[in-house]
Amino acid sequence: MLPQAKVRNMIIDYGCEITMAMNLNSHFSRILVGVVLAWAQALLPVSAAPLEYTLTPQKVADNTYLVQGKRESFSRLNGGNIVNTAFVITKEGVVVIDSGPSKRYGEALRAAIQRVTDVPVTDLFLTHHHPDHFLGNQAFTDVRIWALPKTGQLIAEQGNDLATNLYGLVGDWMRGTEVAMPNKPIEQVEFSLGGHTFQLIPLKGHTGADLALFDTRTQVLFAGDMIFYQRALATPNTPGLKTWIEEMSVVEGLNARQVIPGHGPVVEPESALTQMREYLTWLDQLLTESAEAGLTMNEVINQPIPKQFQEIALTQYELMRTVFHLYADYESAAF
Ligand SMILES: [Zn+2]
């Protein structure tokens, strides 16, 4: 990532994180105050409380467990445990989906798996290169770590910067965390182990390289961040909302019996898929119509969130980030 882009993303992350809670009216004062507060926070002494992730696997289907993260953004209180990870116990090994935000999380995840089963972990699949999904890899370097080739490339290019950024946001939870690369590029369309066969579905909508896994035995879809539920979707690396919306048809076409989103709880698939499609469509329309009407970024950020989305966490925060990331493209398209 270019240094300029990196600084911009860090400012957006820090600024949005801290200032949304302050409900300031001027967008730029929000950002400014946020940056100052984030820097001040970084200088605070590390909390004396033990930094322990409490991970409780929840059985969602035969042999299939979800470890659900909080519906929050990164903070020093949650240690980055805002992401869903999952695992499937097969007869020949445990298949893990995503390793979490830090070395410490990866170790806690591995311990949580071992509390459920004696079957050894053999395979880890990474859904994409966002730091909350792969920085727990260090706890899995003795197993096959699978990722789409482009995801591997993005981790190689951006992993260190993403880890540094996350250190800034969650602090000491990240101690000892370093990038551990995936070691198995996904070049096949299926993966079978111990009686489970997973379709490996390459998508692009969330980051340009997004893996969804569909377990044909249980009909569970591990959607990664292609699906957010009750937590606003994040757009910093999307190739475009229209691409994402188009790929919803692929996800919907699987007719999954259960969908595990990258963030948020598990519900019956229709609710999660409908909310995701409607939210993406609203966001795309809002940006299109705002650009056509010549609205400023500040005006778009302050547009009301429709009532139907008010139960979704972090809508205002993610809208602000989305406007920063994508609005210029919509403005160019409009003029
Ligand atoms: Zn993501």
mmCIF file of all heavy atoms in Angstrom, residues 153-197:
data_model
loop_
_atom_site.group_PDB
_atom_site.id
_atom_site.type_symbol
_atom_site.label_atom_id
_atom_site.label_comp_id
_atom_site.label_asym_id
_atom_site.label_seq_id
_atom_site.Cartn_x
_atom_site.Cartn_y
_atom_site.Cartn_z
ATOM 1 N N GLN A 153 -0.905 -13.023 -2.045
ATOM 2 C CA GLN A 153 -0.167 -11.865 -2.578
ATOM 3 C C GLN A 153 -0.490 -10.600 -1.764
ATOM 4 O O GLN A 153 0.413 -9.831 -1.407
ATOM 5 C CB GLN A 153 -0.585 -11.681 -4.036
ATOM 6 C CG GLN A 153 0.146 -10.584 -4.778
ATOM 7 C CD GLN A 153 -0.598 -10.224 -6.072
ATOM 8 O OE1 GLN A 153 -1.218 -11.094 -6.722
ATOM 9 N NE2 GLN A 153 -0.551 -8.968 -6.437
ATOM 10 N N LEU A 154 -1.754 -10.398 -1.437
ATOM 11 C CA LEU A 154 -2.143 -9.207 -0.674
ATOM 12 C C LEU A 154 -1.566 -9.245 0.741
ATOM 13 O O LEU A 154 -1.157 -8.215 1.282
ATOM 14 C CB LEU A 154 -3.672 -9.085 -0.635
ATOM 15 C CG LEU A 154 -4.338 -8.729 -1.977
ATOM 16 C CD1 LEU A 154 -5.850 -8.945 -1.917
ATOM 17 C CD2 LEU A 154 -4.028 -7.280 -2.346
ATOM 18 N N ILE A 155 -1.514 -10.445 1.325
ATOM 19 C CA ILE A 155 -0.918 -10.556 2.665
ATOM 20 C C ILE A 155 0.577 -10.233 2.584
ATOM 21 O O ILE A 155 1.119 -9.522 3.433
ATOM 22 C CB ILE A 155 -1.161 -11.964 3.261
ATOM 23 C CG1 ILE A 155 -2.644 -12.136 3.601
ATOM 24 C CG2 ILE A 155 -0.304 -12.177 4.512
ATOM 25 C CD1 ILE A 155 -3.024 -13.540 4.063
ATOM 26 N N ALA A 156 1.233 -10.746 1.530
ATOM 27 C CA ALA A 156 2.668 -10.454 1.379
ATOM 28 C C ALA A 156 2.903 -8.956 1.204
ATOM 29 O O ALA A 156 3.828 -8.384 1.770
ATOM 30 C CB ALA A 156 3.223 -11.232 0.185
ATOM 31 N N GLU A 157 2.040 -8.310 0.448
ATOM 32 C CA GLU A 157 2.229 -6.878 0.162
ATOM 33 C C GLU A 157 1.825 -5.993 1.335
ATOM 34 O O GLU A 157 2.462 -4.973 1.607
ATOM 35 C CB GLU A 157 1.374 -6.467 -1.055
ATOM 36 C CG GLU A 157 1.892 -6.997 -2.376
ATOM 37 C CD GLU A 157 0.883 -6.800 -3.509
ATOM 38 O OE1 GLU A 157 -0.190 -6.187 -3.290
ATOM 39 O OE2 GLU A 157 1.174 -7.288 -4.607
ATOM 40 N N GLN A 158 0.736 -6.335 2.014
ATOM 41 C CA GLN A 158 0.136 -5.396 2.970
ATOM 42 C C GLN A 158 0.138 -5.884 4.409
ATOM 43 O O GLN A 158 -0.211 -5.131 5.316
ATOM 44 C CB GLN A 158 -1.324 -5.121 2.579
ATOM 45 C CG GLN A 158 -1.497 -4.546 1.198
ATOM 46 C CD GLN A 158 -2.973 -4.357 0.840
ATOM 47 O OE1 GLN A 158 -3.844 -4.398 1.702
ATOM 48 N NE2 GLN A 158 -3.252 -4.166 -0.432
ATOM 49 N N GLY A 159 0.501 -7.159 4.606
ATOM 50 C CA GLY A 159 0.341 -7.764 5.931
ATOM 51 C C GLY A 159 1.019 -6.997 7.049
ATOM 52 O O GLY A 159 0.426 -6.756 8.105
ATOM 53 N N ASN A 160 2.266 -6.591 6.814
ATOM 54 C CA ASN A 160 2.989 -5.895 7.884
ATOM 55 C C ASN A 160 2.334 -4.561 8.218
ATOM 56 O O ASN A 160 2.219 -4.190 9.394
ATOM 57 C CB ASN A 160 4.454 -5.695 7.499
ATOM 58 C CG ASN A 160 5.232 -6.994 7.593
ATOM 59 O OD1 ASN A 160 4.921 -7.873 8.398
ATOM 60 N ND2 ASN A 160 6.240 -7.140 6.739
ATOM 61 N N ASP A 161 1.913 -3.837 7.200
ATOM 62 C CA ASP A 161 1.245 -2.552 7.446
ATOM 63 C C ASP A 161 -0.079 -2.751 8.183
ATOM 64 O O ASP A 161 -0.433 -1.986 9.077
ATOM 65 C CB ASP A 161 0.963 -1.832 6.120
ATOM 66 C CG ASP A 161 2.238 -1.292 5.491
ATOM 67 O OD1 ASP A 161 3.260 -1.225 6.200
ATOM 68 O OD2 ASP A 161 2.204 -0.958 4.293
ATOM 69 N N LEU A 162 -0.811 -3.796 7.773
ATOM 70 C CA LEU A 162 -2.095 -4.065 8.429
ATOM 71 C C LEU A 162 -1.882 -4.438 9.899
ATOM 72 O O LEU A 162 -2.640 -4.017 10.774
ATOM 73 C CB LEU A 162 -2.828 -5.197 7.694
ATOM 74 C CG LEU A 162 -3.319 -4.848 6.279
ATOM 75 C CD1 LEU A 162 -3.733 -6.101 5.516
ATOM 76 C CD2 LEU A 162 -4.483 -3.862 6.356
ATOM 77 N N ALA A 163 -0.825 -5.215 10.156
ATOM 78 C CA ALA A 163 -0.525 -5.588 11.549
ATOM 79 C C ALA A 163 -0.146 -4.347 12.359
ATOM 80 O O ALA A 163 -0.598 -4.169 13.498
ATOM 81 C CB ALA A 163 0.593 -6.628 11.587
ATOM 82 N N THR A 164 0.664 -3.474 11.773
ATOM 83 C CA THR A 164 1.077 -2.252 12.476
ATOM 84 C C THR A 164 -0.140 -1.397 12.796
ATOM 85 O O THR A 164 -0.282 -0.868 13.915
ATOM 86 C CB THR A 164 2.062 -1.446 11.589
ATOM 87 O OG1 THR A 164 3.157 -2.289 11.287
ATOM 88 C CG2 THR A 164 2.545 -0.196 12.290
ATOM 89 N N ASN A 165 -1.025 -1.271 11.830
ATOM 90 C CA ASN A 165 -2.248 -0.497 12.036
ATOM 91 C C ASN A 165 -3.074 -1.082 13.195
ATOM 92 O O ASN A 165 -3.589 -0.359 14.052
ATOM 93 C CB ASN A 165 -3.060 -0.502 10.733
ATOM 94 C CG ASN A 165 -4.150 0.553 10.731
ATOM 95 O OD1 ASN A 165 -4.126 1.485 11.531
ATOM 96 N ND2 ASN A 165 -5.097 0.401 9.836
ATOM 97 N N LEU A 166 -3.158 -2.417 13.224
ATOM 98 C CA LEU A 166 -3.958 -3.064 14.268
ATOM 99 C C LEU A 166 -3.298 -2.911 15.654
ATOM 100 O O LEU A 166 -3.991 -2.738 16.657
ATOM 101 C CB LEU A 166 -4.176 -4.540 13.915
ATOM 102 C CG LEU A 166 -5.395 -5.209 14.539
ATOM 103 C CD1 LEU A 166 -6.656 -4.378 14.380
ATOM 104 C CD2 LEU A 166 -5.615 -6.589 13.933
ATOM 105 N N TYR A 167 -1.980 -2.940 15.686
ATOM 106 C CA TYR A 167 -1.283 -2.637 16.945
ATOM 107 C C TYR A 167 -1.741 -1.283 17.470
ATOM 108 O O TYR A 167 -2.002 -1.106 18.658
ATOM 109 C CB TYR A 167 0.236 -2.588 16.724
ATOM 110 C CG TYR A 167 0.974 -3.865 17.035
ATOM 111 C CD1 TYR A 167 1.256 -4.792 16.040
ATOM 112 C CD2 TYR A 167 1.423 -4.141 18.333
ATOM 113 C CE1 TYR A 167 1.950 -5.968 16.310
ATOM 114 C CE2 TYR A 167 2.115 -5.320 18.610
ATOM 115 C CZ TYR A 167 2.377 -6.222 17.595
ATOM 116 O OH TYR A 167 3.054 -7.372 17.873
ATOM 117 N N GLY A 168 -1.832 -0.306 16.559
ATOM 118 C CA GLY A 168 -2.248 1.044 16.956
ATOM 119 C C GLY A 168 -3.658 1.062 17.515
ATOM 120 O O GLY A 168 -3.964 1.819 18.426
ATOM 121 N N LEU A 169 -4.524 0.207 16.987
ATOM 122 C CA LEU A 169 -5.934 0.242 17.394
ATOM 123 C C LEU A 169 -6.220 -0.589 18.640
ATOM 124 O O LEU A 169 -7.058 -0.214 19.444
ATOM 125 C CB LEU A 169 -6.814 -0.270 16.242
ATOM 126 C CG LEU A 169 -6.890 0.646 15.008
ATOM 127 C CD1 LEU A 169 -7.535 -0.077 13.838
ATOM 128 C CD2 LEU A 169 -7.663 1.919 15.329
ATOM 129 N N VAL A 170 -5.558 -1.721 18.808
ATOM 130 C CA VAL A 170 -5.909 -2.594 19.949
ATOM 131 C C VAL A 170 -4.770 -2.773 20.953
ATOM 132 O O VAL A 170 -4.976 -3.309 22.033
ATOM 133 C CB VAL A 170 -6.438 -3.985 19.501
ATOM 134 C CG1 VAL A 170 -7.500 -3.850 18.438
ATOM 135 C CG2 VAL A 170 -5.331 -4.903 19.019
ATOM 136 N N GLY A 171 -3.572 -2.303 20.612
ATOM 137 C CA GLY A 171 -2.481 -2.275 21.577
ATOM 138 C C GLY A 171 -1.920 -3.638 21.930
ATOM 139 O O GLY A 171 -1.692 -4.491 21.074
ATOM 140 N N ASP A 172 -1.746 -3.850 23.235
ATOM 141 C CA ASP A 172 -0.912 -4.945 23.718
ATOM 142 C C ASP A 172 -1.460 -6.349 23.458
ATOM 143 O O ASP A 172 -0.743 -7.336 23.583
ATOM 144 C CB ASP A 172 -0.676 -4.760 25.223
ATOM 145 C CG ASP A 172 0.670 -5.321 25.637
ATOM 146 O OD1 ASP A 172 1.626 -5.185 24.841
ATOM 147 O OD2 ASP A 172 0.753 -5.907 26.726
ATOM 148 N N TRP A 173 -2.728 -6.442 23.080
ATOM 149 C CA TRP A 173 -3.272 -7.743 22.686
ATOM 150 C C TRP A 173 -2.462 -8.347 21.542
ATOM 151 O O TRP A 173 -2.454 -9.549 21.326
ATOM 152 C CB TRP A 173 -4.716 -7.580 22.186
ATOM 153 C CG TRP A 173 -5.707 -7.176 23.214
ATOM 154 C CD1 TRP A 173 -6.010 -5.899 23.602
ATOM 155 C CD2 TRP A 173 -6.555 -8.037 23.976
ATOM 156 N NE1 TRP A 173 -7.004 -5.922 24.554
ATOM 157 C CE2 TRP A 173 -7.353 -7.221 24.796
ATOM 158 C CE3 TRP A 173 -6.727 -9.431 24.025
ATOM 159 C CZ2 TRP A 173 -8.297 -7.738 25.671
ATOM 160 C CZ3 TRP A 173 -7.668 -9.942 24.897
ATOM 161 C CH2 TRP A 173 -8.438 -9.107 25.713
ATOM 162 N N MET A 174 -1.812 -7.462 20.792
ATOM 163 C CA MET A 174 -1.106 -7.892 19.581
ATOM 164 C C MET A 174 0.325 -8.329 19.872
ATOM 165 O O MET A 174 1.045 -8.706 18.948
ATOM 166 C CB MET A 174 -1.056 -6.719 18.588
ATOM 167 C CG MET A 174 -2.384 -6.232 18.107
ATOM 168 S SD MET A 174 -3.113 -7.386 16.949
ATOM 169 C CE MET A 174 -1.995 -7.190 15.567
ATOM 170 N N ARG A 175 0.747 -8.281 21.131
ATOM 171 C CA ARG A 175 2.156 -8.553 21.441
ATOM 172 C C ARG A 175 2.620 -9.868 20.781
ATOM 173 O O ARG A 175 1.962 -10.896 20.915
ATOM 174 C CB ARG A 175 2.338 -8.641 22.951
ATOM 175 C CG ARG A 175 3.785 -8.429 23.387
ATOM 176 C CD ARG A 175 3.958 -8.742 24.859
ATOM 177 N NE ARG A 175 3.056 -8.001 25.720
ATOM 178 C CZ ARG A 175 2.564 -8.479 26.871
ATOM 179 N NH1 ARG A 175 2.849 -9.703 27.264
ATOM 180 N NH2 ARG A 175 1.769 -7.740 27.602
ATOM 181 N N GLY A 176 3.752 -9.795 20.111
ATOM 182 C CA GLY A 176 4.326 -10.996 19.484
ATOM 183 C C GLY A 176 3.715 -11.372 18.151
ATOM 184 O O GLY A 176 4.147 -12.329 17.513
ATOM 185 N N THR A 177 2.691 -10.624 17.728
ATOM 186 C CA THR A 177 2.016 -10.981 16.472
ATOM 187 C C THR A 177 2.862 -10.564 15.268
ATOM 188 O O THR A 177 3.315 -9.427 15.183
ATOM 189 C CB THR A 177 0.637 -10.283 16.388
ATOM 190 O OG1 THR A 177 -0.153 -10.697 17.491
ATOM 191 C CG2 THR A 177 -0.070 -10.626 15.072
ATOM 192 N N GLU A 178 3.077 -11.507 14.390
ATOM 193 C CA GLU A 178 3.760 -11.226 13.125
ATOM 194 C C GLU A 178 2.990 -11.919 12.010
ATOM 195 O O GLU A 178 2.199 -12.823 12.263
ATOM 196 C CB GLU A 178 5.193 -11.791 13.151
ATOM 197 C CG GLU A 178 6.103 -11.038 14.095
ATOM 198 C CD GLU A 178 7.452 -11.719 14.255
ATOM 199 O OE1 GLU A 178 7.699 -12.715 13.537
ATOM 200 O OE2 GLU A 178 8.229 -11.263 15.109
ATOM 201 N N VAL A 179 3.263 -11.501 10.801
ATOM 202 C CA VAL A 179 2.586 -12.122 9.663
ATOM 203 C C VAL A 179 3.142 -13.526 9.441
ATOM 204 O O VAL A 179 4.347 -13.709 9.310
ATOM 205 C CB VAL A 179 2.790 -11.280 8.381
ATOM 206 C CG1 VAL A 179 2.242 -12.006 7.156
ATOM 207 C CG2 VAL A 179 2.126 -9.914 8.542
ATOM 208 N N ALA A 180 2.260 -14.517 9.451
ATOM 209 C CA ALA A 180 2.645 -15.871 9.033
ATOM 210 C C ALA A 180 1.895 -16.152 7.735
ATOM 211 O O ALA A 180 0.663 -16.091 7.687
ATOM 212 C CB ALA A 180 2.272 -16.890 10.109
ATOM 213 N N MET A 181 2.644 -16.433 6.708
ATOM 214 C CA MET A 181 2.053 -16.545 5.372
ATOM 215 C C MET A 181 1.271 -17.850 5.198
ATOM 216 O O MET A 181 1.648 -18.877 5.759
ATOM 217 C CB MET A 181 3.159 -16.503 4.313
ATOM 218 C CG MET A 181 3.821 -15.151 4.155
ATOM 219 S SD MET A 181 2.661 -13.882 3.568
ATOM 220 C CE MET A 181 2.264 -14.514 1.934
ATOM 221 N N PRO A 182 0.214 -17.806 4.385
ATOM 222 C CA PRO A 182 -0.399 -19.071 3.963
ATOM 223 C C PRO A 182 0.623 -19.894 3.185
ATOM 224 O O PRO A 182 1.511 -19.340 2.541
ATOM 225 C CB PRO A 182 -1.558 -18.618 3.057
ATOM 226 C CG PRO A 182 -1.295 -17.193 2.705
ATOM 227 C CD PRO A 182 -0.423 -16.633 3.785
ATOM 228 N N ASN A 183 0.525 -21.230 3.292
ATOM 229 C CA ASN A 183 1.520 -22.083 2.633
ATOM 230 C C ASN A 183 0.918 -22.985 1.556
ATOM 231 O O ASN A 183 1.617 -23.784 0.947
ATOM 232 C CB ASN A 183 2.273 -22.916 3.685
ATOM 233 C CG ASN A 183 1.328 -23.666 4.610
ATOM 234 O OD1 ASN A 183 0.266 -24.111 4.182
ATOM 235 N ND2 ASN A 183 1.694 -23.791 5.882
ATOM 236 N N LYS A 184 -0.404 -22.871 1.323
ATOM 237 C CA LYS A 184 -1.049 -23.691 0.281
ATOM 238 C C LYS A 184 -1.961 -22.791 -0.562
ATOM 239 O O LYS A 184 -3.067 -22.437 -0.138
ATOM 240 C CB LYS A 184 -1.900 -24.803 0.924
ATOM 241 C CG LYS A 184 -1.130 -25.799 1.747
ATOM 242 C CD LYS A 184 -0.238 -26.688 0.914
ATOM 243 C CE LYS A 184 -0.933 -27.928 0.429
ATOM 244 N NZ LYS A 184 0.027 -28.809 -0.326
ATOM 245 N N PRO A 185 -1.526 -22.439 -1.772
ATOM 246 C CA PRO A 185 -2.419 -21.659 -2.640
ATOM 247 C C PRO A 185 -3.587 -22.513 -3.123
ATOM 248 O O PRO A 185 -3.393 -23.681 -3.482
ATOM 249 C CB PRO A 185 -1.519 -21.242 -3.815
ATOM 250 C CG PRO A 185 -0.327 -22.128 -3.751
ATOM 251 C CD PRO A 185 -0.212 -22.695 -2.374
ATOM 252 N N ILE A 186 -4.770 -21.956 -3.111
ATOM 253 C CA ILE A 186 -5.957 -22.711 -3.540
ATOM 254 C C ILE A 186 -6.049 -22.681 -5.056
ATOM 255 O O ILE A 186 -6.248 -21.609 -5.645
ATOM 256 C CB ILE A 186 -7.235 -22.111 -2.914
ATOM 257 C CG1 ILE A 186 -7.193 -22.286 -1.398
ATOM 258 C CG2 ILE A 186 -8.486 -22.759 -3.503
ATOM 259 C CD1 ILE A 186 -8.303 -21.585 -0.668
ATOM 260 N N GLU A 187 -5.876 -23.860 -5.651
ATOM 261 C CA GLU A 187 -5.994 -23.931 -7.104
ATOM 262 C C GLU A 187 -7.077 -24.924 -7.509
ATOM 263 O O GLU A 187 -7.324 -25.147 -8.683
ATOM 264 C CB GLU A 187 -4.629 -24.306 -7.719
ATOM 265 C CG GLU A 187 -3.807 -23.044 -7.989
ATOM 266 C CD GLU A 187 -2.316 -23.228 -7.793
ATOM 267 O OE1 GLU A 187 -1.877 -24.373 -7.636
ATOM 268 O OE2 GLU A 187 -1.603 -22.205 -7.788
ATOM 269 N N GLN A 188 -7.706 -25.532 -6.522
ATOM 270 C CA GLN A 188 -8.750 -26.509 -6.802
ATOM 271 C C GLN A 188 -10.109 -25.909 -6.428
ATOM 272 O O GLN A 188 -10.178 -24.875 -5.778
ATOM 273 C CB GLN A 188 -8.504 -27.809 -6.018
ATOM 274 C CG GLN A 188 -8.716 -27.719 -4.508
ATOM 275 C CD GLN A 188 -7.526 -27.184 -3.728
ATOM 276 O OE1 GLN A 188 -6.918 -26.207 -4.099
ATOM 277 N NE2 GLN A 188 -7.245 -27.812 -2.593
ATOM 278 N N VAL A 189 -11.170 -26.584 -6.873
ATOM 279 C CA VAL A 189 -12.512 -26.052 -6.603
ATOM 280 C C VAL A 189 -13.188 -26.784 -5.441
ATOM 281 O O VAL A 189 -14.269 -26.388 -5.006
ATOM 282 C CB VAL A 189 -13.425 -26.139 -7.849
ATOM 283 C CG1 VAL A 189 -12.880 -25.243 -8.957
ATOM 284 C CG2 VAL A 189 -13.558 -27.575 -8.345
ATOM 285 N N GLU A 190 -12.530 -27.830 -4.960
ATOM 286 C CA GLU A 190 -13.112 -28.613 -3.867
ATOM 287 C C GLU A 190 -12.014 -29.071 -2.924
ATOM 288 O O GLU A 190 -10.867 -29.265 -3.332
ATOM 289 C CB GLU A 190 -13.791 -29.872 -4.433
ATOM 290 C CG GLU A 190 -15.268 -29.749 -4.558
ATOM 291 C CD GLU A 190 -15.907 -31.054 -5.043
ATOM 292 O OE1 GLU A 190 -15.306 -32.152 -4.915
ATOM 293 O OE2 GLU A 190 -17.020 -30.944 -5.557
ATOM 294 N N PHE A 191 -12.407 -29.294 -1.687
ATOM 295 C CA PHE A 191 -11.468 -29.849 -0.714
ATOM 296 C C PHE A 191 -12.241 -30.871 0.111
ATOM 297 O O PHE A 191 -13.302 -30.556 0.669
ATOM 298 C CB PHE A 191 -10.926 -28.729 0.190
ATOM 299 C CG PHE A 191 -10.113 -29.232 1.343
ATOM 300 C CD1 PHE A 191 -8.782 -29.599 1.169
ATOM 301 C CD2 PHE A 191 -10.682 -29.357 2.619
ATOM 302 C CE1 PHE A 191 -8.027 -30.066 2.239
ATOM 303 C CE2 PHE A 191 -9.934 -29.826 3.690
ATOM 304 C CZ PHE A 191 -8.610 -30.177 3.500
ATOM 305 N N SER A 192 -11.717 -32.092 0.172
ATOM 306 C CA SER A 192 -12.398 -33.140 0.936
ATOM 307 C C SER A 192 -11.498 -33.636 2.053
ATOM 308 O O SER A 192 -10.285 -33.812 1.861
ATOM 309 C CB SER A 192 -12.747 -34.331 0.030
ATOM 310 O OG SER A 192 -13.699 -33.933 -0.923
ATOM 311 N N LEU A 193 -12.112 -33.872 3.184
ATOM 312 C CA LEU A 193 -11.380 -34.434 4.322
ATOM 313 C C LEU A 193 -12.365 -35.129 5.262
ATOM 314 O O LEU A 193 -13.383 -34.541 5.641
ATOM 315 C CB LEU A 193 -10.638 -33.314 5.084
ATOM 316 C CG LEU A 193 -9.684 -33.794 6.183
ATOM 317 C CD1 LEU A 193 -8.385 -34.359 5.581
ATOM 318 C CD2 LEU A 193 -9.347 -32.666 7.159
ATOM 319 N N GLY A 194 -12.051 -36.357 5.601
ATOM 320 C CA GLY A 194 -12.782 -37.078 6.652
ATOM 321 C C GLY A 194 -14.293 -37.043 6.517
ATOM 322 O O GLY A 194 -15.000 -36.891 7.511
ATOM 323 N N GLY A 195 -14.804 -37.179 5.286
ATOM 324 C CA GLY A 195 -16.253 -37.255 5.115
ATOM 325 C C GLY A 195 -16.925 -35.925 4.831
ATOM 326 O O GLY A 195 -18.149 -35.873 4.643
ATOM 327 N N HIS A 196 -16.187 -34.847 4.824
ATOM 328 C CA HIS A 196 -16.754 -33.539 4.454
ATOM 329 C C HIS A 196 -16.104 -33.065 3.160
ATOM 330 O O HIS A 196 -14.884 -33.177 2.989
ATOM 331 C CB HIS A 196 -16.481 -32.489 5.540
ATOM 332 C CG HIS A 196 -17.323 -32.667 6.758
ATOM 333 N ND1 HIS A 196 -18.405 -31.853 7.049
ATOM 334 C CD2 HIS A 196 -17.244 -33.578 7.766
ATOM 335 C CE1 HIS A 196 -18.962 -32.258 8.191
ATOM 336 N NE2 HIS A 196 -18.278 -33.298 8.649
ATOM 337 N N THR A 197 -16.933 -32.558 2.257
ATOM 338 C CA THR A 197 -16.406 -31.943 1.037
ATOM 339 C C THR A 197 -16.831 -30.476 1.013
ATOM 340 O O THR A 197 -18.011 -30.159 1.179
ATOM 341 C CB THR A 197 -16.937 -32.666 -0.216
ATOM 342 O OG1 THR A 197 -16.419 -34.007 -0.189
ATOM 343 C CG2 THR A 197 -16.461 -31.980 -1.491
#
